[in-house]
Amino acid sequence: MVMSVLRRLGQTLFVLFGISVLVFLVFFATPGADPTARIAGRNASPETMARVRVEYGFDRPLPVQYARMMEKLFVTRDLTSYVNRGQKVVPEILEAAPVTVSLVSGAALIWVVLSVAMGVTAAALRGGWVDRGLMMLGLVGISIPVFWLGQVVNLVTQSRYHDSWLFSWVPGLGYVPLTEDPLGWFRALALPWLTLAVLFVGIYSRVLRADLVAVQSEDFMRTARAKGLSPMRVLLVHGLRTSMITFVSLFGLDFAQLVGGGALLTEVVFGLQGVGRLTYQALSNLDLPLIMATVMYSAVFVVIANAVVDMLYLFLDPRVRDGR
Amino acid sequence: MTAQTVTGASSSSSAPRPAGPWRRAGRRLARDRAAMVALAVLLAVTAACLMAPFYARDVAHTDPFTSNVAGAVMIDGRSVDIMQPNDNPLHLGLSPIGPTWRASADLLGADSQGRDLAARLLYGGRTSLLISFCAAALCIVLAAVVGIVAGYVGGIVDAVLSRIMDIMWAVPVYLFAISLSIVTVSQGLKLGPITIGSDNLLIPICIIALVYVPYAARPVRGRVMSLRRAEFVTAARALGVPGYRIVLRDILPNVTGTLVVLAPLMMALAMMAESALSFLSIGVQAPGASWGTIIQDGEGLIYTRPMVAIAPGLAIVIVVLALNVLGDGMRDALDVRDSGRERG
Amino acid sequence: MLLAVRDLTVALPIGGRLVPIVESVSFTLGAREILGIVGESGSGKSVTSLAIMGLIDVPGARISGSVRFRGRELVGLAPRAYRALRGREIAMIFQDPMTAFTPVYTVGRQIDEQIRAHQKISRSDARARTVRLLGDMGVPDPERVAGRYPHQLSGGLRQRAMIAMALSCNPALLIADEPTTALDVTVQAQILDLLRGLRRDYGSSVLLITHDMGVVAETCDRTLVLYSGLVAERGPTGALFAQPGHPYTAALLDSIPPLHGPRPARLPSIPGSPPAPAGRPAGCPFAPRCAYVHDSCAVRPPLVACGEQDVACVLPAEGRPLPPRFVAEMSA
């Protein structure tokens, strides 16, 4: 038990280390991409370039640069932005995190509820037109670029039909903190939630339906029917409960990636200052400290989510509990 | 004796002539109406975009890549300026002409630079289709190599490759792609003597292919690992057949199904990724155009001339949907399970 | 008569057309009787049992003929009425007890579920009955076993739990589909003992489906031999073993290793393989593999009485039945 926890911890640290090295290399060692040139500006004089190089420590060996950055990020926590001099990056992330968490949690709730309903309905009516219709709807959801959907939603609710009774409640783009105004928070996020959820409703309903159909041919489903249980009970209590195991692992990863910045396109379109948008800004300014910080934040989330999924596995699957 | 002849006759009439798995899959796919419609749509869109240079000029009468703010078009015999005063009460500022719904002049209107939208859609489609096709192909080749090496060699090689995949998996795909794009977009890529300019389409192709490798490699690896334990591979190894021969003759043909099914799905993912990168203006660089860059152009016009953003978006939805439907049909026809999945 | 099956035909759509998997199968089963259905894999024995249970849900499947259970017609019965019957009056146990339990619930919970699906009793009463049933099935420490997950139990224990679950509502008919195939030999004997004891302790009739003639000899009162979805022979087990009327039955019996006397170096086997349902010959389906095949086999032979059995073969009618076998050791 202790050994497996230790191994798990080791793997986690290894993945975090790997991500930090990967990101570091992308920005500091990609052939032709010199951070000095980026900071000094195009056509900077050689003297400026040299000054910047020394000032930012780009003249030192890569491992030293890497170690110094990690130390500032995790130990002294005083890493500052290259672009807005003096701005500390850790508080900046802590400010953006609630926005992203609000956005992603609401969307997740919507997509889980909707996709379970759609997946179960489709599987129960397998082969019929309802099944085909729902699954085609899911495919459509998967095929819509989220940023474009967001634009169309804005067009309809902010401009064209904003004055109709249907959308007059929609506030302007932006975020309202939950603690300040719960109703305003809800109104500001309702449409971003729905927009972000569309893709995942499509994915999850299709995955769930496929799992449920696959599980139908299992012996235990036949046993359940032979017991005289109703088709709904067989599907929900025996089928859905078993399919939930894959569903949960997918959910853990997707949720973590979104909280870790994967929702940036939605954040950009709806003007929400979340982690994804912050990361994107850091990237476009090539603000290396902020990039490192946001990517590490995102990686920590993914890794935590993996651990939570593993724990949920223990809860959901007794076979894993016994290590079989 | 009679009985025997009867048996012979009936069994030969009922058992279908043995056909190869590919031909059987093809026949099954041909019966799938949705997949056939999707294929027709894809072919039509591809043909329309590829042949754009032949007729786009007749549609637009202008070059889709040069600014045309001072131009005018003929509508019902009258000359109409492409840039028109805004609808607002004070008529402040100029907006490009909206959809005319006439094939002769600015069918779908013009963008903020006065360029004909319909012509740009066709040319942009060429870029989008080219990038997504090449990225999907490259990604699948890379994934096949990684998956087969990891699955077949196993041991330390598999462990290292799998850990690298895990790390790539832990970073949100779009963030990963954006990081790579931003680094290369300013100065391009210098690989020793070779310099790839930042406006070269190879850059988005390689980036998109690279970030999706873990998604495609995982199912390939799983398939190869189960094949390696299969009896015919064990037999070949026991006979001393060299490894590369086993991979080429026994493993590769058996993962082809998985790879083929992945192809349309990867192309759909690549098209979505390309449009996202271009939307953030770090994908296809001006003067090139893709559906993503056109949406980006249309962002500023979204409330006045929404068609500029809506049309390319619809084009993406239609093509990606068709690819997904086709991929679904192919998966059913080839009966390949666990061939990865789409994600954002 | 508890169960009377007449001309049961099950046709499934294969490659775009309906193929009869089971054709005109008829048999009866009395109270407290054990009937064995024997045949090679693919002979339609499992399909027959699933048809009786009403568990064939392949879209486009067609079931015709008659299945009367306690005088009630089951073919075409409304799903809701069938559901009330399943698990309560007709129960079934399956071949592989590993995969037949839902892996994520405890065994006890799954047995409770069946009891509570048919009877309005409290959770704790249901559990008390579950524990008692498990104990009756010879499960040591039944309370603890009820709280375990399927994968935590041995194959034998799982099959006992399966039987306990099937018996939980005192069904009049128990269909056992190869209940011992997945178990090792010693456990096999215990489970067969258990099945034999059911008619005494629970008054149940058993339809035992198996491919093992040895199991039939040990357990069944009467036997039905299926070949390629058709009845080859049916009759009392003793008579059928002593003087098989169908060459297929005889060949099956020849393939059992003798318990006494010198062992043959090689057991006789039947050459060839049974025809696929779609390619079943118009005449006797066994003709292509039969040592006695002759011209009259081109017409499908009807079931005719031959001694105590009914046999679908032309030989008895032609006045040259198969010779009796020496079976002294079998009846022991």
Side-chain angles (χ1 to χ4, degrees):
Chain A
M1 188 63 197
V2 176
M3 266 319 283
S4 72
V5 169
L6 280 180
R7 237 181 56 191
R8 178 84 216 157
L9 202 67
Q11 277 175 2
T12 304
L13 287 176
F14 178 78
V15 169
L16 286 177
F17 172 72
I19 292 169
S20 64
V21 170
L22 185 74
V23 174
F24 187 82
L25 286 182
V26 163
F27 287 96
F28 287 84
T30 302
D34 181 5
T36 315
R38 183 78 198 208
I39 290 169
R42 282 184 196 191
N43 312 322
S45 66
E47 299 86 70
T48 323
M49 294 278 277
R51 198 165 46 77
V52 167
R53 194 165 287 139
V54 174
E55 196 176 331
Y56 286 88
F58 296 143
D59 53 342
R60 308 207 191 166
L62 279 177
V64 175
Q65 290 186 38
Y66 171 81
R68 269 195 26 176
M69 183 162 270
M70 287 297 119
E71 186 201 349
K72 280 185 169 174
L73 184 56
F74 287 108
V75 183
T76 55
R77 298 167 66 84
D78 60 351
L79 194 61
T80 51
S81 163
Y82 282 175
V83 178
N84 304 319
R85 316 264 352 226
Q87 170 100 33
K88 291 216 172 82
V89 300
V90 177
E92 216 173 335
I93 290 177
L94 293 181
E95 209 170 292
V99 182
T100 303
V101 172
S102 300
L103 171 68
V104 176
S105 308
L109 187 69
I110 292 172
W111 96 57
V112 167
V113 171
L114 274 184
S115 63
V116 168
M118 278 171 68
V120 169
T121 311
L125 303 171
R126 173 157 56 117
W129 63 269
V130 175
D131 174 22
R132 276 197 295 273
L134 283 176
M135 287 304 103
M136 191 45 83
L137 206 64
L139 261 195
V140 172
I142 292 172
S143 308
I144 302 178
V146 65
F147 58 90
W148 179 76
L149 181 64
Q151 282 189 338
V152 173
V153 166
N154 282 341
L155 172 68
V156 170
T157 62
Q158 300 281 348
S159 164
R160 290 296 144 103
Y161 297 98
H162 183 64
D163 297 332
S164 75
W165 58 272
L166 203 52
F167 296 117
S168 54
W169 57 271
V170 179
L173 299 180
Y175 176 71
V176 179
L178 175 64
T179 45
E180 272 174 30
D181 176 6
L183 186 66
W185 174 80
F186 182 86
R187 288 204 293 198
L189 287 173
L191 290 168
W193 284 338
L194 287 170
T195 307
L196 180 58
V198 164
L199 167 73
F200 294 95
V201 170
I203 295 176
Y204 281 66
S205 61
R206 291 176 61 83
V207 167
L208 186 62
R209 180 208 176 261
D211 275 359
L212 281 173
V213 168
V215 95
Q216 291 283 0
S217 55
E218 294 277 355
D219 284 355
F220 63 78
M221 294 295 275
R222 200 179 47 185
T223 311
R225 291 197 298 142
K227 282 157 79 170
L229 306 179
S230 71
M232 220 45 207
R233 191 177 167 91
V234 174
L235 188 67
L236 293 180
V237 174
H238 291 267
L240 184 62
R241 173 62 175 74
T242 315
S243 306
M244 265 304 159
I245 296 170
T246 35
F247 192 90
V248 161
S249 69
L250 288 185
F251 179 80
L253 253 171
D254 282 334
F255 185 82
Q257 291 214 339
L258 287 178
V259 171
L264 95 150
L265 289 166
T266 314
E267 292 175 359
V268 167
V269 185
F270 287 104
L272 302 168
Q273 188 56 39
V275 178
R277 201 160 173 226
L278 188 67
T279 313
Y280 175 59
Q281 283 162 356
L283 284 165
S284 10
N285 298 333
L286 214 69
D287 192 351
L288 291 172
L290 193 51
I291 293 172
M292 288 307 289
T294 49
V295 171
M296 289 316 289
Y297 156 88
S298 136
V300 166
F301 254 99
V302 173
V303 169
I304 291 176
N306 274 333
V308 171
V309 165
D310 281 358
M311 250 136 70
L312 275 176
Y313 261 165
L314 292 185
F315 175 72
L316 283 175
D317 193 342
R319 286 165 296 185
V320 178
R321 224 174 296 165
D322 295 351
R324 277 177 60 162
Chain B
M1 205 51 238
T2 335
Q4 298 237 294
T5 39
V6 169
T7 321
S10 72
S11 68
S12 71
S13 67
S14 63
R17 197 161 296 148
W22 290 103
R23 178 176 287 190
R24 252 182 298 146
R27 220 176 290 153
R28 238 175 318 194
L29 189 63
R31 272 202 301 269
D32 186 340
R33 217 175 310 151
M36 284 300 106
V37 170
L39 190 62
V41 168
L42 283 178
L43 290 178
V45 172
T46 311
C49 290
L50 284 185
M51 294 196 293
F54 295 113
Y55 64 86
R57 227 156 260 280
D58 294 325
V59 176
H61 310 293
T62 56
D63 187 320
F65 296 108
T66 51
S67 175
N68 189 27
V69 279
V73 287
M74 297 295 288
I75 297 172
D76 297 339
R78 287 183 300 122
S79 174
V80 178
D81 283 346
I82 284 183
M83 298 310 279
Q84 298 170 328
N86 268 342
D87 304 335
N88 59 42
L90 295 172
H91 297 286
L92 284 173
L94 291 173
S95 282
I97 189 167
T100 62
W101 305 118
R102 284 172 182 77
S104 58
D106 280 346
L107 173 72
L108 296 174
D111 70 1
S112 54
Q113 311 238 12
R115 297 171 297 197
D116 179 76
L117 181 59
R120 274 182 74 75
L121 266 189
L122 292 171
Y123 279 91
R126 283 158 66 94
T127 319
S128 285
L129 288 169
L130 181 74
I131 291 181
S132 41
F133 181 84
C134 295
L138 181 62
C139 174
I140 283 173
V141 170
L142 289 175
V145 171
V146 171
I148 288 176
V149 168
Y152 188 77
V153 179
I156 186 90
V157 176
D158 180 32
V160 169
L161 285 174
S162 296
R163 282 296 89 73
I164 294 177
M165 295 288 135
D166 279 354
I167 290 168
M168 286 168 72
W169 198 283
V171 183
V173 200
Y174 281 178
L175 282 189
F176 193 13
I178 289 168
S179 314
L180 292 174
S181 304
I182 284 181
V183 172
T184 50
V185 89
S186 50
Q187 287 120 338
L189 197 62
K190 290 196 192 77
L191 285 172
I194 311 159
T195 307
I196 303 171
S198 59
D199 55 351
N200 194 319
L201 293 188
L202 264 177
I203 287 184
I205 289 175
C206 292
I207 288 172
I208 293 168
L210 190 67
V211 297
Y212 280 114
V213 164
Y215 295 84
R218 196 163 275 211
V220 175
R221 172 175 171 271
R223 183 95 185 86
V224 172
M225 283 177 77
S226 66
L227 279 172
R228 199 164 71 112
R229 285 190 289 269
E231 278 171 22
F232 65 94
V233 173
T234 317
R237 281 150 73 102
L239 288 172
V241 179
Y244 72 91
R245 241 184 114 84
I246 296 178
V247 166
L248 287 183
R249 300 278 297 269
D250 297 327
I251 305 269
L252 198 57
N254 279 293
V255 294
T256 321
T258 310
L259 295 175
V260 166
V261 168
L262 274 171
L265 301 178
M266 292 317 295
M267 190 167 160
L269 285 177
M271 177 161 285
M272 297 280 263
E274 183 277 320
S275 70
L277 290 178
S278 295
F279 173 70
L280 296 172
S281 55
I282 46 176
V284 176
Q285 295 301 305
S290 78
W291 286 336
T293 59
I294 303 174
I295 296 181
Q296 154 74 13
D297 292 343
E299 200 188 13
L301 294 169
I302 186 77
Y303 295 146
T304 48
R305 293 283 177 254
M307 186 53 79
V308 182
I310 286 179
L314 271 182
I316 293 172
V317 173
I318 289 168
V319 170
V320 172
L321 181 61
L323 284 167
N324 279 327
V325 170
L326 184 65
D328 245 33
M330 282 168 61
R331 173 164 35 196
D332 292 346
L334 278 166
D335 198 22
V336 177
R337 285 211 192 144
D338 181 39
S339 54
R341 65 180 206 97
E342 312 87 347
R343 57 164 66 230
Chain C
M1 202 50 51
L2 183 73
L3 180 74
V5 176
R6 276 194 50 207
D7 286 332
L8 178 68
T9 299
V10 181
L12 302 181
I14 296 172
R17 62 198 183 103
L18 274 178
V19 175
I21 306 295
V22 169
E23 240 180 299
S24 306
V25 167
S26 305
F27 61 90
T28 57
L29 179 64
R32 300 181 179 231
E33 197 180 19
I34 301 184
L35 171 71
I37 300 187
V38 209
E40 290 163 277
S41 38
S43 61
K45 43 195 201 311
S46 290
V47 171
T48 307
S49 64
L50 289 176
I52 296 170
M53 282 296 277
L55 286 180
I56 292 181
D57 65 344
V58 183
R62 215 175 59 210
I63 301 171
S64 55
S66 155
V67 176
R68 290 190 94 79
F69 175 75
R70 289 182 155 162
R72 192 165 166 204
E73 181 58 55
L74 297 188
V75 173
L77 190 65
R80 189 172 286 271
Y82 228 134
R83 220 185 297 149
L85 210 66
R86 274 201 294 262
R88 185 189 180 90
E89 299 203 53
I90 309 179
M92 188 158 182
I93 57 182
F94 296 99
Q95 178 173 0
D96 189 349
M98 175 67 228
T99 55
F101 277 111
T102 305
V104 293
Y105 296 124
T106 62
V107 168
R109 182 169 168 179
Q110 298 188 50
I111 303 178
D112 298 349
E113 186 187 27
Q114 172 155 359
I115 299 172
R116 283 165 58 84
H118 295 288
Q119 280 161 29
K120 289 224 173 319
I121 63 172
S122 73
R123 227 168 258 277
S124 54
D125 286 354
R127 177 49 63 96
R129 184 137 121 221
T130 298
V131 171
R132 204 172 62 238
L133 276 164
L134 285 171
D136 287 356
M137 294 308 120
V139 171
D141 199 357
E143 209 131 340
R144 202 178 57 92
V145 169
R148 315 234 81 187
Y149 288 94
H151 71 271
Q152 296 169 321
L153 303 177
S154 69
L157 274 184
R158 271 199 294 260
Q159 196 58 295
R160 282 170 199 271
M162 195 77 215
I163 297 174
M165 182 158 84
L167 292 175
S168 59
C169 297
N170 270 326
L173 171 62
L174 180 69
I175 302 177
D177 188 354
E178 309 243 8
T180 56
T181 311
L183 305 175
D184 57 41
V185 184
T186 46
V187 184
Q188 220 171 30
Q190 294 166 3
I191 297 290
L192 288 177
D193 262 347
L194 193 61
L195 285 178
R196 269 197 300 266
L198 293 182
R199 59 176 136 185
R200 184 184 66 238
D201 303 336
Y202 288 82
S204 308
S205 304
V206 179
L207 200 62
L208 179 67
I209 290 157
T210 180
H211 62 265
D212 187 341
M213 285 306 255
V215 168
V216 173
E218 275 178 62
T219 321
C220 302
D221 305 317
R222 293 194 306 129
T223 302
L224 176 78
V225 181
L226 282 183
Y227 183 79
S228 183
L230 295 156
V231 176
E233 180 166 7
R234 64 168 185 237
T237 307
L240 189 133
F241 274 64
Q243 185 167 14
H246 198 287
Y248 177 61
T249 317
L252 277 182
L253 291 172
D254 282 339
S255 61
I256 312 174
L259 289 178
H260 302 288
R263 299 205 161 208
R266 221 187 136 145
L267 283 170
S269 62
I270 313 175
S273 57
R280 199 176 291 149
C284 173
F286 189 57
R289 300 168 76 188
C290 184
Y292 304 91
V293 64
H294 54 291
D295 288 351
S296 45
C297 299
V299 179
R300 192 165 287 176
L303 271 178
V304 292
C306 162
E308 291 177 67
Q309 302 109 283
D310 299 311
V311 180
C313 183
V314 294
L315 291 177
E318 288 173 357
R320 40 191 192 119
L322 298 176
R325 288 162 46 86
F326 177 68
V327 284
E329 78 272 14
M330 290 303 297
S331 50

